[in-house]
Amino acid sequence: MASGRGSNFQAIIESVNRGEAPDVEIAQLVVNKSNAHAIKIAEKYNIKCSYIGSSEISRENFDKKVIEIMEESKVEIIVLAGFMRILSPLFIKKYKNRILNIHPSLLPSFPGASAHKDALRYGAKISGCTVHLVDENVDSGPIIMQASVEIVENETEESLSEKILFHEHKLLPKALQLICSNKVSLQGRQVTINPD
Ligand code: GRF
C-alpha cells in the first residue's frame, strides 16, 4: 500500500526481480491518492493496482474496501510502503502481525509524519530507519530490523532523507523476504530471526 512516490515499492519489485526475495510474490498495489507516482511504477512492472480515494470515506469503510481487494487478490502479507493513512483497529486485527511498515527514524524515537525534521530539531547525532510490524498505535509495533545513519554538521531534511532512503530500500525487501519465508518469530514484542 502506498500514497506517494513509491520508491520503497519499486525497491521490493527490483529485489524480487533480482531473485533476492524468492518467497515474495507481489499480488497487488493499493493506493489512496490518485496522483501517487507508485501507480506509474505498478504500470511499468505490470502489477495490478487499485485506487481507493480516502478523502470522502470513513476510515472503516475505506479499510473494508481494502480488505475486499486484498481477499480477492489472496494477499497474505501487507506492506505499508509510504502509506500515509492510519488503519482502523478492524483492519489491524484482521491482518494481525501480517502488516509491515517502514519508518524513517530509529523507533521509538521520532514517530509520526515528520521524522527527519524532528530528528534534526532535536539535535540527534544518529537516525536511521525501522521496519516493524503494525499494531493499533502509530509507529509502535514490534521491530524487525533497523539501520542507522550518522547525522552530520549542516545536515538538511533532504540530505538526511536521501541517506536514510538508501537503507530503507535494502531493509524493507529483506524484512519482507524473512516474513514470507517464515523466519520471523514473535514473543511479546521480541522479534527473533531464525537462521536457515
Ligand atoms: C519513506 O521515507 C518511508 O520511510 C515513509 O514514507 C516514505 C515513503 O517513500 N514511511 P516512498 O513512497 O517509498 O518513496
Side-chain angles (χ1 to χ4, degrees):
M1 296 176 73
S3 300
R5 182 177 53 187
S7 70
N8 279 290
F9 172 50
Q10 177 151 352
I12 293 171
I13 299 170
E14 287 174 358
S15 155
V16 169
N17 289 351
R18 284 194 300 267
E20 292 165 3
D23 298 299
V24 177
E25 190 186 331
I26 303 171
Q28 97 135 72
L29 174 72
V30 172
V31 294
N32 67 328
K33 298 277 173 211
S34 58
N35 59 353
H37 183 254
I39 298 172
K40 298 226 155 54
I41 299 172
E43 274 165 14
K44 178 174 168 201
Y45 290 94
N46 232 341
I47 291 168
K48 188 176 161 204
C49 174
S50 306
Y51 160 67
I52 309 170
S54 57
S55 50
E56 279 147 30
I57 181 174
S58 74
R59 198 174 298 290
E60 290 239 326
N61 284 342
F62 176 86
D63 288 1
K64 280 183 188 157
K65 284 192 177 201
V66 178
I67 291 173
E68 264 174 41
I69 290 170
M70 296 300 181
E71 287 187 334
E72 208 177 287
S73 293
K74 301 197 166 34
V75 166
E76 292 172 88
I77 307 286
I78 294 169
V79 180
L80 307 183
F83 182 69
M84 304 307 279
R85 186 179 160 92
I86 292 170
L87 294 161
S88 63
L90 169 112
F91 192 88
I92 308 282
K93 211 185 246 174
K94 163 113 188 142
Y95 291 100
K96 191 166 165 52
N97 296 330
R98 292 191 290 140
I99 310 173
L100 274 183
N101 183 41
I102 176 93
H103 181 75
S105 77
L106 293 176
L107 290 172
S109 292
F110 315 119
S114 53
H116 306 106
K117 192 198 269 177
D118 296 344
L120 290 174
R121 275 216 187 126
Y122 196 86
K125 299 295 183 203
I126 289 177
S127 191
C129 54
T130 304
V131 180
H132 65 94
L133 294 169
V134 173
D135 67 8
E136 298 72 22
N137 301 307
V138 176
D139 299 328
S140 80
I143 292 171
I144 300 176
M145 291 177 123
Q146 291 185 305
S148 62
V149 304
E150 212 177 313
I151 296 180
V152 295
E153 231 173 272
N154 300 322
E155 194 84 72
T156 63
E157 270 181 60
E158 291 69 36
S159 65
L160 180 59
S161 134
E162 197 179 313
K163 278 201 287 197
I164 294 177
L165 204 58
F166 172 79
H167 291 281
E168 293 185 31
H169 293 166
K170 291 181 167 191
L171 226 57
L172 186 57
K174 213 183 258 180
L176 181 58
Q177 165 60 18
L178 287 170
I179 294 256
C180 290
S181 56
N182 288 320
K183 298 240 165 66
V184 174
S185 51
L186 191 64
Q187 262 197 321
R189 55 171 302 126
Q190 302 303 320
V191 169
T192 312
I193 311 284
N194 308 312
D196 287 318

